[in-house]
Each structure stands twice: as C-alpha cells, then as structure tokens.
Amino acid sequence: METKILKINPFDVNLEKINIAADIIKLGGLVVFPTETVYGLGANALNENAVKKIYKAKGRPADNPLIMHFDKLEKIKDYVYITEELLEKIKIFVPGPITFVLKRKSIVPNIITANMDTVAVRIPAHPIANKLIEMSGVPIAAPSANLSGKPSPTIAEHVVEDMKGRVDVIIDGGNVDFGLESTVIDLTEEIPTILRPGPITPENLKEVFGKIKIPDFVYGKGKVDTAKAPGMKYRHYAPDKKTILVEYSENRINIIKEKIKNYKNPLLVIFEEDKKFFNEYDIMISGSKDNYYKIAVNLFSILRDADKTDNDVIIIEGVLDKGLGISIMNRLRKASSEIWGE
Ligand code: AMP
Ligand code: MG
C-alpha cells in the first residue's frame, strides 16, 4: 500500500491537507495523526471493515479494545449512557489526555469494544486531531500508531518506521506534548477506577471525583482484571533487547555499580545527575530526576533509540511512584523483564 505523508503545522493547521485525510477516513481508510499524548492510528469508528484494518495494520489482538475519539464532548451522548451530573464533572478534563470508560449504547460496533458492554471515549486537545475528527464527521477509533507491543510513537519518524506501507496517510505534526498514552478511568464502577495511569494524575482526579481507586496492577503488582482492562494484560512498550529497570532509591548508584559488572556491553539510560558516576559506560540521558514531565515526553523515543544501538542490554533508572511518576513506572515495568531494587 502506498502511504501519503502530509506535513501539517499544529500551530497553523492547513485545512486543505486535513480535508485530504478526512476524505480517507470517510472512505474507510487508515490515517495516522498526532495527538497531545502519542500518535494515533485512526479509522471511521462506525465502519466495521475500516476498524478491522486497524487491528491488521498493528498486529493487535482482537480482544484489546480501541478508544473512540470525538471532537466535542456533547457528541458522546449518542454512544454512551451518562448522567448530566457526570458529564459536568468530566467536562473539567475535556479536551485533554484522558479517556473515560462508560456504558455503551448499541450503536457502538462490537469490534471497537472487544464485545464488552462498555466503551472508552476521549476528546483530544491536539488541534490536528480535533480538526481531523470534525472534518471526518464521524467518531474516529484509534489506538497508538505503533506495531503491537512496541513503544508508542511520539515523533513522526517512529510512525514511519512502524506504519509506512500499512496505512493510507501519515500526518506528520511534529512532536507530541506529553509522550505517554492517556489516563484511562473506568466510570462504570461505584468508585472511579484508574485502568491505565497517564498524564492526568490521581491527584488531579481526586479533586473532581473525591474518591478514586488505583488497582494494584497499575503498580505492576497483582493480577490484571482482564474482564475490565483487557488491554493491560499484554506485553507493551517493549524494546527487543533485554531491558532492566532500576527502582528509584538513594542507593541506586551502588546497586547499578554492583550488578552491571555481570554485563559485557550494557547501555545505561540514566538521569543527567547520575551521569558522572558512570563515565566508563555507554549512556543515554533520560532527563532530570527532578523533572518527570521531561522524562515522560522522551521516554518512548529513548526506548526506541536504545534498541537501535549495538549494546546487548538496556539498564534504565526508574522514578518515584508519585504523580506523573506512577505513569512513567507503569510503562517501564511493562517494558522491562527484570527489576533491580533494594
Ligand atoms: P491504545 O489506544 O493502544 O493506547 O489502547 C487503548 C487502551 O484503552 C486499551 O489497551 C484498553 O486497555 C483501554 N480500553 C479501551 N476500551 C476499553 C474498555 N471498554 N474498557 C476498558 N479499557 C478499555
Ligand atoms: Mg497502544
């Protein structure tokens, strides 16, 4: 398949180019587009054949449901059951990097929801995503635009790497804002429950919902409730190389120095503050230990770059399980096959 690449400036959105992409969506094709979280791989959510192509292009298992994207919050009312009271609450986060799981109406195709009675909805804040959905005139089903299992793409080059030849259009809109997938919150439970931590933190959510639940699996502990969060059971975000996560502690430098001796050709992905302790090793900088936002934005890009070096193992420093750190650690635990800690 030939893939057309459209370069669009998010600060000065070219409507003619968006229109080309919107026509592809209307015709049942696939369009990759930037959002504020990561790049998405979109199709007309109401066209089952088009949605099937998403699963095929990604190699995604059929029981991993997709998120339905809308340009305006009001429009979700045609697809989900929601009270005015709840609508008022979620308005505070919309548009933005958060996805709400709600009871679905029958108009939502089964293929999007993996046959569940709930559907995930999101209203992205990115100007290109928003215009594309508006001009397509339909909700857009979209997962992240990576091959299944790989780190999500946060720059257009990574989309091209994974999706060239598999989709009709790739919109190159430059870098994303957050670099982590949206927070997924299940609002069908009595206490709103985080299924995937993301840019909107538990603290942000508590302010609006009062009580919220964070299941153990979010922290990489306990079993995933696959009936509620089917997508979370899969290995994700993973480099091909063996990846080791070092849990954050005051003692992290000593732990790494001791254990790294067992490896011939390791690559260290560490905070700029810790670089000076490892001059003899190959190093990539993840950011500053005091700036989680920066670490999050670069995380997936660094994992991809780390996979391309000739090192045989990636050793990456983790952060504290606090605020945005919960979301970073959730991804790092899934990306790694071994954890070093105290
Ligand atoms: P992706 O778009 O690749 O980040 O994946 C979307 C994720 O949203 C899936 O892996 C699911 O975990 C989650 N999701 C989508 N629909 C539902 C749903 N109805 N219930 C629970 N989680 C969902
Ligand atoms: Mg994904």
Side-chain angles (χ1 to χ4, degrees), residues 301-318:
S301 200
I302 283 175
L303 287 178
R304 281 188 183 242
D305 288 346
D307 220 13
K308 287 173 193 151
T309 68
D310 62 3
N311 303 91
D312 51 10
V313 61
I314 303 166
I315 300 168
I316 183 164
E317 283 187 320

Side-chain angles (χ1 to χ4, degrees), residues 58 60 64-67 99 101 112-113 116 118-120 142-144 146 152 181 184 195-196 228-232 236:
K58 277 188 66 109
R60 186 178 175 102
N64 191 358
L66 305 177
I67 296 170
T99 296
V101 172
I112 289 181
T113 69
M116 294 190 295
T118 56
V119 65
S144 49
N146 50 286
S152 301
E181 303 86 349
V184 178
L195 298 180
R196 175 173 75 187
K228 282 271 162 200
M232 299 303 144
H236 265 99

Side-chain angles (χ1 to χ4, degrees), residues 279-341:
N279 283 325
E280 67 272 42
Y281 291 102
D282 291 344
I283 278 173
M284 280 185 187
I285 301 296
S286 56
S288 160
K289 69 179 175 52
D290 297 324
N291 187 344
Y292 285 7
Y293 173 79
K294 258 300 201 14
I295 292 175
V297 161
N298 293 323
L299 186 67
F300 289 141
S301 200
I302 283 175
L303 287 178
R304 281 188 183 242
D305 288 346
D307 220 13
K308 287 173 193 151
T309 68
D310 62 3
N311 303 91
D312 51 10
V313 61
I314 303 166
I315 300 168
I316 183 164
E317 283 187 320
V319 299
L320 286 170
D321 268 308
K322 290 215 168 86
L324 195 54
I326 296 174
S327 312
I328 294 170
M329 286 303 282
N330 172 272
R331 308 307 190 271
L332 283 179
R333 288 190 179 107
K334 285 203 171 126
S336 53
S337 58
E338 188 176 324
I339 297 182
W340 294 350

Side-chain angles (χ1 to χ4, degrees), residues 204-259:
N204 302 146
L205 294 163
K206 271 180 205 155
E207 274 180 40
V208 171
F209 294 108
K211 232 171 137 178
I212 57 156
K213 205 155 86 187
I214 312 180
D216 280 348
F217 73 78
V218 166
Y219 296 104
K221 291 178 271 182
K223 268 192 68 170
V224 180
D225 181 353
T226 49
K228 282 271 162 200
M232 299 303 144
K233 69 179 178 229
Y234 294 103
R235 188 172 145 85
H236 265 99
Y237 323 118
D240 291 330
K241 268 179 212 158
K242 174 173 175 156
T243 304
I244 298 170
L245 169 63
V246 184
E247 287 197 319
Y248 186 87
S249 74
E250 289 300 319
N251 203 21
R252 66 188 180 279
I253 305 294
N254 292 329
I255 292 173
I256 298 172
K257 279 199 180 275
E258 186 52 39
K259 296 199 174 197

Side-chain angles (χ1 to χ4, degrees), residues 117-156:
D117 60 0
T118 56
V119 65
V121 297
R122 169 159 127 77
I123 296 87
H126 195 284
I128 293 176
N130 210 270
K131 264 287 165 225
L132 175 67
I133 303 166
E134 186 193 319
M135 291 177 83
S136 299
V138 288
I140 292 185
S144 49
N146 50 286
L147 292 173
S148 200
K150 293 275 153 237
S152 301
T154 50
I155 58 175

